[in-house]
Amino acid sequence: MPVALRVIPCLDVHDGRVVKGVNFQNLRDAGDPVELAAKYSAQGADELTFLDISASVEARATTREMVARCAETVFIPLTVGGGVRSIEDVDALLRSGADKVGINTGALARPAVIDEIAKAFGNQVLVLSVDARREEGMPSGFGVTTHGGKRSAGVDALAWAREACDRGVGEILLNSMDADGTTDGFDLEMLRAVREVVDVPLIASGGAGTVEHFVAAARAGADAVLAASVFHYGALTVDQVKAGLREAGLEVR
């Protein structure tokens, strides 16, 4: 039985403000995270994802405060990522009001942290964020990146996704660094390739610009569709995306 699709606005947070760029470059202000969270919740968002893209020690404290304010304001699941490297980091975010925690660089640096977090909190709280792009020399043609897509991690994206699932991640957020912020559409080839090797829920991210893009991602195997620019700058609302998915015959939350 197909799983009902989730629509998830993403808030990239830098120094307490939501920002957005193209391919993580030329960031511009998009607003206050708590105000945007309330707006998207009212529009029917199924979840919200916050990514602390600065992730310094000070920013983590800022993020915890922001998560607590959001958790008091909206009553949909919150996923928070950025700078997560240990059980202690996950515990602090969950205590602040996060429902799920995203991990990226910390897991690449020490994959065993996935096992530790899954054992301590259950795999339902752990989302692996995979920032991937086309990369020559990788067996699948897709490589994992760090530092906002600037550096290759030297790891094949499909092999990493599969290993992380074996270790206990409950969900994968697959972000196409080539498509990020372009509004030209999700990387469907990469989405299908990852879908074939993992059996956990898969969130498509990077490149949404039209309702048709969300429909295409769902048909390529996404269990949830995530976007930022189209929502922040008013090109689409969450309810418009959900209506379009339903019109295409897809089941939506």
Side-chain angles (χ1 to χ4, degrees):
M1 183 175 169
V3 177
L5 277 162
R6 290 169 287 148
V7 178
I8 307 173
C10 181
L11 292 85
D12 295 316
V13 180
H14 178 71
D15 293 337
R17 297 287 293 178
V18 176
V19 296
K20 191 59 194 171
V22 177
N23 306 126
F24 281 70
Q25 302 291 314
N26 302 317
L27 300 177
R28 57 180 173 141
D29 188 90
D32 175 76
V34 180
E35 289 175 9
L36 286 174
K39 181 175 85 168
Y40 296 142
S41 177
Q43 287 179 7
D46 299 299
E47 298 180 11
L48 291 169
T49 292
F50 297 89
L51 299 177
D52 171 10
I53 63 171
S54 40
S56 65
V57 174
E58 298 81 5
R60 282 180 214 158
T62 304
T63 301
R64 288 198 291 271
E65 179 198 347
M66 178 266 302
V67 171
R69 287 191 295 131
C70 285
E72 291 168 2
T73 306
V74 301
F75 303 98
I76 54 177
L78 307 178
T79 299
V80 185
V84 174
R85 296 178 181 275
S86 67
I87 287 176
E88 291 74 21
D89 292 335
V90 174
D91 185 60
L93 287 170
L94 293 176
R95 288 176 185 275
S96 297
D99 298 280
K100 294 187 272 190
V101 174
I103 191 167
N104 181 354
T105 307
L108 285 163
R110 193 171 69 85
V113 75
I114 296 174
D115 309 69
E116 295 163 8
I117 294 168
K119 184 177 179 182
F121 303 102
N123 62 2
Q124 76 282 351
V125 309
L126 189 56
V127 180
L128 180 74
S129 184
V130 180
D131 291 343
R133 69 176 359 141
R134 282 170 164 69
E135 187 174 342
E136 290 183 13
M138 290 295 164
S140 69
F142 301 102
V144 179
T145 69
T146 62
H147 299 81
K150 295 183 185 73
R151 295 188 199 172
S152 169
V155 175
D156 183 84
L158 269 62
W160 175 232
R162 193 163 46 222
E163 178 186 344
C165 289
D166 291 342
R167 287 181 177 274
V169 299
E171 200 162 26
I172 288 179
L173 168 54
L174 181 65
N175 188 33
S176 167
M177 301 310 293
D178 295 319
D180 178 78
T182 63
T183 67
D184 291 332
F186 295 96
D187 188 329
L188 302 179
E189 184 186 353
M190 185 166 74
L191 197 54
R192 291 189 191 100
V194 174
R195 174 78 285 168
E196 285 183 12
V197 300
V198 304
D199 54 8
V200 300
L202 182 59
I203 306 167
S205 170
T210 67
V211 169
E212 290 74 25
H213 292 156
F214 291 96
V215 172
R219 289 181 171 152
D223 300 285
V225 283
L226 178 146
S229 302
V230 289
F231 295 141
H232 297 341
Y233 302 122
L236 290 170
T237 62
V238 174
D239 27 22
Q240 283 174 331
V241 170
K242 286 191 160 189
L245 290 166
R246 288 192 188 96
E247 284 172 21
L250 296 161
E251 186 181 350
V252 180
R253 280 266 177 98

